[in-house]
Amino acid sequence: MSSKTGIGSSVRRREDSRFLTGNARFTDDIRIPEQAHAAVLRSPHPHATIQTIDTAAARAMPGVLLVLTARDLERDIKGPIPSFSNAHGFEIKTSDGRPVADAAQYPLVRGKVRYQGEAVAFVVAETLEQARDAATAIEVAYTALPAVMEIDQALAPNAPSIWDEHPDNVSVRWQGGDRDTTDAGFARAAHVTRLTLVNNRVAPAFMEPRAAIATIDDASGRLHLQAGCQSAHGLQGVLTGILGLSLDEIRVTVPDTGGGFGSRGSVYPEFVLVLVAARRLGRPVRWTAERSESFLTDNQARDMVMRGDLALDGDGRFLAMKAEIDWRHGGYLGSRNVWVICRFLPPTMGGVYRMPAAHTTIRGVFSNTTPHSAYRGIGRLETNYLMESLVDQAARELGRDPVALRRLNMLTPADMPWISPGGNIYSSGAFGANMSRALELADITGFPARRAASARASQLRGFGVGNYIENDGGAPSEFAEIVALKSGGVRVHVGTQDFGMGHDTIFAQIVSQHLGIGFDDVEIVFGDTDRIKRGSGSHGSRSARIGGGATVLGVRKMIERGRDLAADILEAAVVDIEYRNERFIVSGTDRSASLAELAVYAAGRGATLSGEADFTTPLEAHSNGCHVAEVEIDPETGQVRLVSHVVVADVGQAINPMIVHGQIHGGAAQGIGQAMLERVVYDPDTGQTVSGSMMDYTLPRADDLPTILVELNEIIETDNPVGVKGAGEGATSGAPAAVMNAIRDAVASHGGGHIDMPAAQEQIWRALHNRPDSNDDNR
């Protein structure tokens, strides 16, 4: 094994060659003989009842093979797409004693539409054009209902009910933390800072639109789904429940996938529909979303109004924190969504600070908007944004330096292990060192001179800090199997899921390091329920830590199995067999056998040289770091320019620093996008989606971003054999606070008012000129 390809090496991603040469195989690239094409008829209304659906004309059109409505599906499905709101392991105890709403969604509308774009009918035809034409020929008689769009509107007395069984439009009331201790902290406070923030709704905007292809084995009737997702086994498990099948009756494989972000972790209606259609027709059925469909139906995220209070003593030390959150999650509850919010948001209260007490209340609110799912940094971004915004606001109110106020309250290595007010256990972290280094890289000492230079040019300049911490983990167990090949090298079956993160490279590096073989001699297999026995997929920044842990344990077990085989073939005692760099050696001799030789020997006995393992860790790791942003604003126009952005991140051991840097660049871009540009907008009166295309929904482009400077502070995590924490979400979690604090710093220097995300040009201009904020009409 070359030291240039093991853990810690910036090996070029080996999957990139096929991506850059057009040889990738995304779902829509797959072509299957006799495939049919599907289109979805979607509701133009966000809230309506369906009186009748007339499909006669569509069924008679050329090329049409199948038309499905909710009534046609009754014999095919055994239940809705589950929300798991009250399932074992995901129960949430509500503060008012009511069960969490189980607002599960059926693949096609049953009677009542709850968001614009909801699937009403599914058409399959010989060609895509025929399917689309037939879908438009379906006549649906809707009775439009008042669209319930805003939180205040949904919670108003006598508001239209989205679900009859939840007439107040509240899905969950939850509280966590120690209320009494928190109240006591506020009672003795010398100063209390209060702040209300809008955490804007965002759309995932995958590089590759969602797609699915279903086939059926003519002989066995076994179904096969090919689709981009975040867990092949998770998708398989839910689909079997919906369709009333066993695991053996559905295979799921995942082709190359262009982005996940949490939103691709859900079971979408189209996955069920293509399987039903393939089974009905006995031939392959494919579907690919249009961008316009994606903006209506891909699960969205964030969308909270957050009211935060911070209590400080006379010296500026934090005493307690409160958060009251209204969460507009849409017309349905996605898979485990309530559990995810309550599991990840409240435990992060207090951030990287010595916060003695905190209390959180969360109220879920139904609305006629696209449903939510987990999204990069879920819960952590929201809490870190609130915490860091409160610190800056407190510093302004007290006339204190915001960096000094942070230092006064920041946890130190001597405080570890630290239990946060929400129950997180921080085992390691050099938070002060992260911030100091980020400030140094951002040249904070030169900022006054830069601000003065901007002022001479009639520009405003702002500087913002955003510390972050996040509980990485997700499912606490993962599977891996390592198989030695007769031709040399090994094949690794791992239960995590790649959708752009470089798993083919980093898992090969882990095996290369721990098995002592060449990087190119490691083949990685993931995303196939037939080839991989089990797996939990990728979410919550878990893949390298938990999947990597399973891989290392699998390597160790394969070596132990190899020692037994080598003892046989070399006629030696097992205790005398050593393993070094592809060879099993009899200690003190020149007798040895290679991995390939032992693989051949095992095959001759009807066996394999392999090792499989499940790695489980009961705790969560906590990646952390600091973002520092600097902006310049033209006060005449409100135009803002992000001048610089610095990230210092503790991800534990960086398996591949170059890939980690890329993850951080991408994550920071998503966080910056939310802070400055992105926002799903609905017409408040009609409920129609206004931001329904790339012309209307503003993603950050290369020229919106500076060169993002990244430095790693690698503090090894001891709970896993790879030493990693997490790298996928931290950059997204920390970026909004830093950028918004910089913008508010610049605006405050001019006497301007409060700014919410996204800090678009018009809003900044209004804040600088004390004009009413148009964002107030639609948050």
Side-chain angles (χ1 to χ4, degrees), residues 17-287:
S17 60
R18 70 175 188 273
F19 291 144
L20 296 174
T21 57
N23 291 310
R25 190 170 181 266
F26 295 93
T27 306
D28 196 55
D29 294 325
I30 299 169
R31 296 293 181 267
I32 301 174
E34 301 299 318
Q35 64 184 8
H37 299 261
V40 182
L41 176 67
R42 301 188 181 279
S43 170
H45 304 283
H47 199 193
T49 55
I50 295 177
Q51 304 304 321
T52 60
I53 303 178
D54 186 349
T55 62
R59 294 178 193 273
M61 291 180 70
V64 172
L65 302 170
L66 182 68
V67 178
L68 296 174
T69 66
R71 179 172 294 177
D72 298 313
L73 287 178
E74 289 178 358
R75 67 181 175 88
D76 294 275
I77 64 174
K78 305 304 177 184
I81 300 170
S83 70
F84 294 107
S85 293
N86 298 288
H88 177 67
F90 303 101
E91 310 97 325
I92 293 295
K93 295 182 179 179
T94 63
S95 57
D96 57 3
R98 297 192 311 175
V100 174
D102 190 20
Q105 182 177 8
Y106 283 88
L108 294 173
V109 173
R110 289 192 171 192
K112 188 176 185 180
V113 172
R114 293 181 172 88
Y115 66 96
Q116 185 188 14
E118 189 169 3
V120 174
F122 190 71
V123 180
V124 183
E126 295 288 355
T127 70
L128 180 58
E129 291 73 17
Q130 289 171 334
R132 288 174 175 167
D133 288 345
T136 61
I138 298 173
E139 296 183 5
V140 184
Y142 296 97
T143 298
L145 301 171
V148 182
M149 306 305 297
E150 305 302 322
I151 291 175
D152 290 346
Q153 179 188 9
L155 298 175
N158 301 316
S161 297
I162 296 171
W163 291 85
D164 294 341
E165 55 267 48
H166 302 285
D168 59 358
N169 291 321
V170 173
S171 61
V172 59
R173 289 182 173 88
W174 184 91
Q175 59 180 311
D178 189 328
R179 182 187 290 274
D180 292 340
T181 304
T182 301
D183 288 345
F186 275 87
R188 64 177 187 274
H191 180 83
V192 174
T193 289
R194 294 184 170 87
L195 195 58
T196 298
L197 299 174
V198 173
N199 203 300
N200 43 316
R201 176 178 281 244
V202 295
F206 308 120
M207 181 178 292
E208 175 209 11
R210 288 191 297 111
I213 300 174
T215 57
I216 185 168
D217 186 288
D218 291 336
S220 67
R222 189 178 189 229
L223 292 165
H224 179 197
L225 178 70
Q226 299 180 78
C229 71
Q230 293 184 216
S231 174
H233 292 85
L235 179 55
Q236 179 195 41
V238 177
L239 288 172
T240 57
I242 296 170
L243 296 172
L245 302 175
S246 67
L247 291 175
D248 292 338
E249 293 177 285
I250 298 180
R251 178 187 183 189
V252 174
T253 57
V254 183
D256 289 324
T257 303
F261 316 129
S263 297
R264 220 188 277 265
S266 300
V267 175
Y268 284 93
E270 296 84 6
F271 296 165
V272 181
L273 294 169
V274 293
L275 288 169
V276 170
R279 188 165 60 178
R280 289 273 194 104
L281 296 172
R283 61 186 288 187
V285 176
R286 64 182 302 116
W287 169 84

Side-chain angles (χ1 to χ4, degrees), residues 721-753:
V722 192
V724 299
K725 293 179 180 176
E729 298 177 274
T732 309
S733 296
V739 171
M740 292 303 298
N741 280 340
I743 291 171
R744 291 175 187 136
D745 179 50
V747 170
S749 72
H750 193 71

